[in-house]
Amino acid sequence: MARRGTEAFPELGAHCDEADCNQLDFLPIECDGCGGLFCAAHRTYRGHGCAKEADQGRTVVVCPDCGDSIERTAPGQAEQEILDEHVRSRRCDPARKRKPVCPARRCKEPLTFSNTTDCKACGRKVYLRHRFPADHACAGAAASKAAGAGAARRAGGECARDAQSKGSGAWALPVSIRNLKIF
């Protein structure tokens, strides 16, 4: 058929190469199998009876154990045969398929890159909902809290004697801060 557009704009669009159609389409689709230009109704291999329809192209089989995709090497190859060969090749590792889950008690949420955070106290990866130390029974938070309390007591004991004013019982600023001048 003629591959030209309208009389006013001959370079715009093309007529469908399907013999029964011949519709003028302004966005024709070129078939990668036969090279013809087709309208939206005849764009598929089956729609215009293309010889490439019989070719199934590349197909893969997904392993149910590890989640790997294995490409078929022969067009008529059975799926079970491909999976058996994959297992014999020792590349099948079921541990790779399992995603890590949140370590918080009773939480079964899988950890992904978008819902995971690292606890600063214990260093474990946890679900965002359990990001605070109290939410995931953090062992590091209890140790750091005890160490922080001991340091505060030691620092408070030394400062308490120097900072307490005479007889009033109120706390005063340390001498070094009272004498600090900012210009």
Side-chain angles (χ1 to χ4, degrees):
M1 290 283 160
R3 291 186 173 227
R4 56 190 268 278
T6 63
E7 288 181 20
F9 301 102
E11 302 299 319
L12 182 64
H15 290 275
C16 181
D17 282 344
E18 181 65 26
D20 297 335
C21 182
N22 199 27
Q23 177 183 352
L24 176 62
D25 195 337
F26 292 107
L27 293 172
I29 298 162
E30 185 176 359
C31 177
D32 61 345
C34 62
L37 292 172
F38 298 98
C39 64
H42 299 109
R43 72 182 182 276
T44 61
Y45 297 140
R46 188 174 290 162
H48 65 270
C50 187
K52 194 170 179 173
E53 179 183 3
D55 181 22
Q56 297 297 317
R58 295 172 57 178
T59 58
V60 295
V61 176
V62 178
C63 178
D65 297 331
C66 67
D68 272 357
S69 299
I70 306 117
E71 187 175 357
R72 289 181 197 256
T73 54
Q77 200 172 14
E79 187 172 321
Q80 191 58 43
E81 180 184 329
I82 295 169
L83 292 174
D84 291 341
E85 185 179 326
H86 173 65
V87 171
R88 282 193 303 269
S89 70
R90 296 188 181 146
R91 287 180 289 180
C92 186
D93 184 15
R96 285 190 307 169
K97 188 173 183 180
R98 285 186 240 121
K99 293 193 185 306
V101 294
C102 179
R105 191 170 162 237
R106 295 186 191 160
C107 182
K108 302 288 186 228
E109 193 68 34
L111 299 176
T112 63
F113 73 95
S114 62
N115 72 356
T116 305
T117 185
D118 292 328
C119 177
K120 289 184 176 36
C122 65
R124 293 193 303 183
K125 291 187 180 290
V126 293
Y127 185 54
L128 274 176
R129 192 172 288 167
H130 305 122
R131 65 187 176 270
F132 299 114
D135 294 337
H136 67 270
C138 183
S144 66
K145 194 182 290 184
R153 264 184 269 127
R154 285 190 302 277
E158 294 169 4
C159 289
R161 284 183 236 119
D162 296 337
Q164 201 169 24
S165 64
K166 299 177 188 175
S168 68
W171 293 95
L173 290 173
V175 176
S176 60
I177 295 177
R178 274 188 278 150
N179 295 334
L180 182 69
K181 293 182 181 179
I182 299 174
F183 296 98

